[in-house]
Amino acid sequence: MRKTVLYAGGFIIISTLLSSCVSKKKYEDLARAKREVDRNLLDIKREKSQLEQDLKLAKDDFNTIRYKLTENNAAKDKTIDQLYNKLRSLESKQVELKSELTDVAEQIKTTTQTSGEQIAMLENSLQRVTADRDNIRKQLTEIQTKLEFENRQLKAELETASSKASTKESEIAKLKASQDELNKKLN
């Protein structure tokens, strides 16, 4: 573009020097053409500057989304670890209850109480152990449901972030193509 302006300017100067009888109309046409070329050059420079700013904003948005995605993944991992720890705790409680149930069975064998008292004591122990077992099953089911729900949420967030990132990448590619095209025009 700059070469075109220089050639046009050089042509005007050489024309003026070589022939002093150039008509005023031709001179004004050449001057008008030079002004228009200068205006076009200024417009292209402004457009290039704007595209560079848009590209920078798109890159910043992309980096922000990538940071949030990383942060969400870390939070997900932490939550999963906490839930697995709770699950292990419940499993150890279940083992303790089994042991307690075994102790109750041993007590039943060794006691010399009447069968009515033994039955009442066994029913109480059985009810307590059954209630504890049901409680543990309920807690285990709740934890599993919660884990599945959080996994679905995290997958949805991941898909949303991925689609946003791909959209930003396509915008960046378009902006780069546009910038390359403008650079070619400027050259």
Side-chain angles (χ1 to χ4, degrees):
M1 199 68 168
R2 181 180 264 175
K3 288 181 180 180
T4 307
V5 173
L6 289 175
Y7 288 133
F11 179 76
I12 293 171
I13 293 172
I14 291 173
S15 305
T16 307
L17 291 176
L18 291 177
S19 62
S20 59
C21 37
V22 171
S23 70
K24 187 174 184 178
K25 182 180 179 189
K26 284 185 180 179
Y27 176 77
E28 288 174 358
D29 287 344
L30 287 174
R32 189 177 313 111
K34 182 187 179 300
R35 283 192 302 271
E36 190 168 329
V37 167
D38 288 343
R39 246 184 271 121
N40 287 341
L41 177 63
L42 185 60
D43 289 344
I44 288 173
K45 284 181 179 179
R46 282 189 200 131
E47 189 175 345
K48 179 187 175 199
S49 174
Q50 182 62 41
L51 286 173
E52 287 173 346
Q53 288 175 356
D54 290 346
L55 179 62
K56 185 181 182 301
L57 288 174
K59 284 181 180 178
D60 290 344
D61 288 345
F62 175 75
N63 288 334
T64 302
I65 288 170
R66 186 172 43 182
Y67 175 76
K68 285 182 181 177
L69 182 61
T70 304
E71 190 175 68
N72 287 342
N73 283 340
K76 174 196 72 150
D77 290 343
K78 182 179 178 183
T79 303
I80 288 172
D81 287 343
Q82 289 172 346
L83 292 174
Y84 279 128
N85 287 337
K86 282 184 182 180
L87 181 62
R88 283 189 214 117
S89 170
L90 289 174
E91 288 172 348
S92 70
K93 259 189 177 180
Q94 188 177 17
V95 169
E96 289 175 13
L97 288 175
K98 282 182 181 179
S99 171
E100 206 173 87
L101 186 59
T102 305
D103 291 344
V104 168
E106 287 296 320
Q107 286 177 359
I108 290 171
K109 290 178 185 177
T110 58
T111 58
T112 56
Q113 298 175 346
T114 65
S115 58
E117 292 173 343
Q118 287 179 351
I119 290 174
M121 194 170 81
L122 285 174
E123 286 177 351
N124 287 339
S125 295
L126 184 60
Q127 286 175 354
R128 185 171 49 86
V129 170
T130 304
D132 287 343
R133 184 199 63 208
D134 292 341
N135 233 356
I136 288 172
R137 282 184 181 168
K138 181 181 175 184
Q139 289 176 353
L140 185 60
T141 304
E142 288 174 359
I143 287 174
Q144 287 174 339
T145 304
K146 189 175 181 180
L147 275 173
E148 290 171 3
F149 177 73
E150 287 183 8
N151 277 340
R152 277 186 256 124
Q153 279 183 326
L154 290 171
K155 284 180 183 177
E157 288 176 11
L158 182 61
E159 289 174 3
T160 303
S162 295
S163 67
K164 285 182 181 177
S166 65
T167 303
K168 291 296 180 181
E169 288 175 356
S170 66
E171 287 178 10
I172 288 172
K174 287 178 185 177
L175 288 173
K176 282 184 179 177
S178 177
Q179 183 181 10
D180 290 343
E181 189 174 300
L182 286 174
N183 284 338
K184 287 179 183 176
K185 286 181 181 179
L186 283 175
N187 289 336

